Amino acid sequence: MSRKTKIITIFLLVVCLMTAILIFGCTNEKVATRTDFALDTVITITLYGQSDEGLLKEPFEEIRALDKKLNVYSADSEISKINAAAGIAPVQVSQDTFDVIREGLLYSQESDGAFDITIGPLVDLWQIGTPKEGVIPSDTDIQAAKALVNYKKVQLNEGETSVYLEDSGMKLNLGAIAKGYIGDKVKDILLSKKIKNAVINLGGNVVLIGGKANKEPVVVGVEDPENQSQDRSQSNDSFLGVLKEMDNTIVTSGDYERYIIGPDGKAYHHILNPVTGYPAESGLHQVTVVTSESTRADALSTTFFVKGLDKSLEYIAKNEGVEAVFVTNDDRVVATEGLNDQFTFDSARLGSQYSFDFIIP
Ligand code: AMP
Ligand code: MG
């Protein structure tokens, strides 16, 4: 084994351990599970009441195939081809790529552009990666990139499954929705194989099918945004609380996931406000969305992060089947009333750090 392979293997093992405890609870039932690195993160799929790991081959193949089409950082992805042809010509794409873009545009519309899949020029300008010292772009460059962000300038041709970006320089970036879409696709594959109980964990985007085979719910830890540096392989004590769910999908967006520290000492995170061109400052530190469809959960967690607590609660009041747990910058944890039976805040450990309430949206 080369030194590089060794380092990657050790890294994978550590991250696997961390992922394994995100979804915890002991069980004696039969389990088939597989963990792999894809989508730039650790993916674990667990089937309960099953021991045939061969069932997991196709889901992982599908994850890689979709990543190949949707990953903006690979030059031959369909998304990169659409971006390269911006202002020049429509590009014919696969049904999957067409469908994610169509759904992404619906959420862009629904959010009035707080969520915008044409955010690419701003994402590329800011280059926000893992915590490190970063360069803050000039305001002139930010304004120029911002002017290229506009989901209304994406033309879809259903008959030809083609996509056209009207202005040269426009760029799609599906970072806020692709994992959600892929989670729903994996769920469909498992359902078509008559799987009744499973957990799909795409680096923290969790999709559940039917709870455990013994009819018990799956216990999913909700991250504590202030406790990211702890070695989570040592204990389960780093969560804000837990959700007990059977069938839903659980997706979190937070400002600690990726950020750079500017020369001013301030952290600049990766969820951008298309109106200002700067990282969103809505008063939220983290938001976790619980709903039935993973594409929706992913789009909404990003949208809610940009819009802030009050506007998100207004949305939840008007839309059935969406629940959320918010963490604000002033250390409030707020869970929507619909999660009363599902969410437990770790008040014993975190009661003095955060105030916690259930709220009727
Ligand atoms: P998420 O972690 O799902 O909230 O997605 C964040 C990622 O989506 C970022 O790393 C960007 O690639 C992209 N992104 C950032 N801001 C936005 C936005 N306002 N609308 C849509 N995508 C965004
Ligand atoms: Mg998202």
Side-chain angles (χ1 to χ4, degrees), residues 118-155:
T118 66
I119 197 87
L122 278 171
V123 173
D124 290 356
L125 177 68
W126 276 92
Q127 293 197 9
I128 291 169
T130 45
K132 60 171 193 258
E133 279 184 25
V135 181
I136 309 305
S138 72
D139 193 56
T140 315
D141 287 350
I142 291 173
Q143 298 313 317
K146 202 184 84 175
L148 291 164
V149 177
N150 186 350
Y151 67 91
K152 291 176 187 158
K153 291 189 171 182
V154 181
Q155 292 180 15

Side-chain angles (χ1 to χ4, degrees), residues 115 175-178 205 251-253 295 297-303:
F115 174 89
I177 194 174
N205 273 36
V251 177
T252 296
S253 289
T295 313
D298 202 357
L300 287 184
S301 70
T302 311
T303 306

Side-chain angles (χ1 to χ4, degrees), residues 345-359:
F345 172 66
D346 188 348
S347 56
R349 208 171 50 80
L350 296 172
S352 59
Q353 184 180 346
Y354 296 103
S355 71
F356 172 69
D357 295 294
F358 281 108
I359 194 166

Side-chain angles (χ1 to χ4, degrees), residues 114-116 119 123 173 175-176 253 257-258 270-272 274 298 301-302 306:
F115 174 89
D116 191 324
I119 197 87
V123 173
N173 179 307
S253 289
E257 287 170 344
R258 269 184 285 147
H270 69 129
I271 304 175
L272 304 168
D298 202 357
S301 70
T302 311
V306 175

